[in-house]
Amino acid sequence: QSVLTQPPSASGTPGQRVTISCSASSSNIGNNAVNWFQQLPGAAPKLLIFDNDQRPSGVPDRFSGSKSGTSASLAISGLQSEDEADYYCAAWDDRLNGWVFGGGTKLTVL
Amino acid sequence: QVQLQESGPGLVKPSQTLSLTCTVSGGSISNGGYYWSWIRQHPGRGLEWIGYISYSGSTYYNPSLKSRITISADTSKNQFSLNLSSVTAADTAVYYCARGGDYDDPFDQWGQGTLATVSS
């Protein structure tokens, strides 16, 4: 069981806006920045969002992140077929003294 | 752009030590103030951070794995390595090396991963 809680699946149609949630406790998300990763089938994870809402160079602005209290969200607007992937949130946990990840959300583009 | 590449045996026997190496190109592991981590993914499951070594050689390990982990670096080869001792089938996973790992330092570059299977 993962420390950070994500819905196991999400879906949307092309062009739609989808959000994926990530929740936990004050020892991780509440105190520290949240990062999001995209893992395409058969590939390594890729950093999508860092510091709650910052996009690395090259990540389309269709992807956005937000955080409030002990919850965070990843939003994908203008959904495209190539967005079909697994998405993971991560944060440093002050109580466990290490990085913790969500269990991942499998996004299906219908 | 920095690139990372994992290498190591794909098959390890139970109770033995799993040894993996990450070769970094396009940047020095001992300069730039970066941290270098190992992360694993059990088949069909989520991600688990294993630990890091810093640009200065300091290490920090996941407390749940700490007793079995050693992470070291060979700066002359620009490589860092993972040793995981007393492995069991539960250690079967894809192992990734990545840049990043301090509490405010996201994993911004990843290797492609290497599958390590523990089996007799």
Side-chain angles (χ1 to χ4, degrees), chain A residues 1 32 35 37 39 42-47 50-51 88 90 92 96-104, chain B residues 39 41 45-49 52 60-63 96 101-108 110-113:
Chain A
Q1 189 168 346
N32 299 297
N35 304 314
F37 300 89
Q39 187 174 31
K46 168 191 168 185
L47 182 64
F50 67 98
D51 285 355
Y88 294 91
W92 181 268
L96 299 177
N97 281 318
W99 285 93
V100 291
F101 289 87
Chain B
I39 296 162
Q41 185 170 32
R45 296 179 61 184
L47 299 160
E48 180 180 31
W49 174 71
Y52 71 63
Y60 192 82
Y61 304 143
N62 185 328
Y96 296 99
D102 197 13
Y103 74 98
D104 62 350
D105 185 20
F107 308 110
D108 65 349
W110 295 63
Q112 88 276 13

Side-chain angles (χ1 to χ4, degrees), chain A residues 48-63:
Chain A
L48 204 60
I49 297 288
F50 67 98
D51 285 355
N52 305 320
D53 58 7
Q54 301 299 301
R55 281 186 309 276
S57 173
V59 172
D61 59 6
R62 301 188 296 106
F63 295 91

Side-chain angles (χ1 to χ4, degrees), chain B residues 72-97:
Chain B
S72 59
D74 185 338
T75 56
S76 67
K77 296 181 180 178
N78 216 37
Q79 296 174 333
F80 64 103
S81 297
L82 168 69
N83 278 356
L84 178 64
S85 64
S86 305
V87 296
T88 69
D91 294 309
T92 294
V94 174
Y95 286 77
Y96 296 99
C97 58

Side-chain angles (χ1 to χ4, degrees), chain B residues 48-67:
Chain B
E48 180 180 31
W49 174 71
I50 297 171
Y52 71 63
I53 187 164
S54 76
Y55 59 96
S56 64
S58 63
T59 55
Y60 192 82
Y61 304 143
N62 185 328
S64 69
L65 298 168
K66 184 178 179 180
S67 63

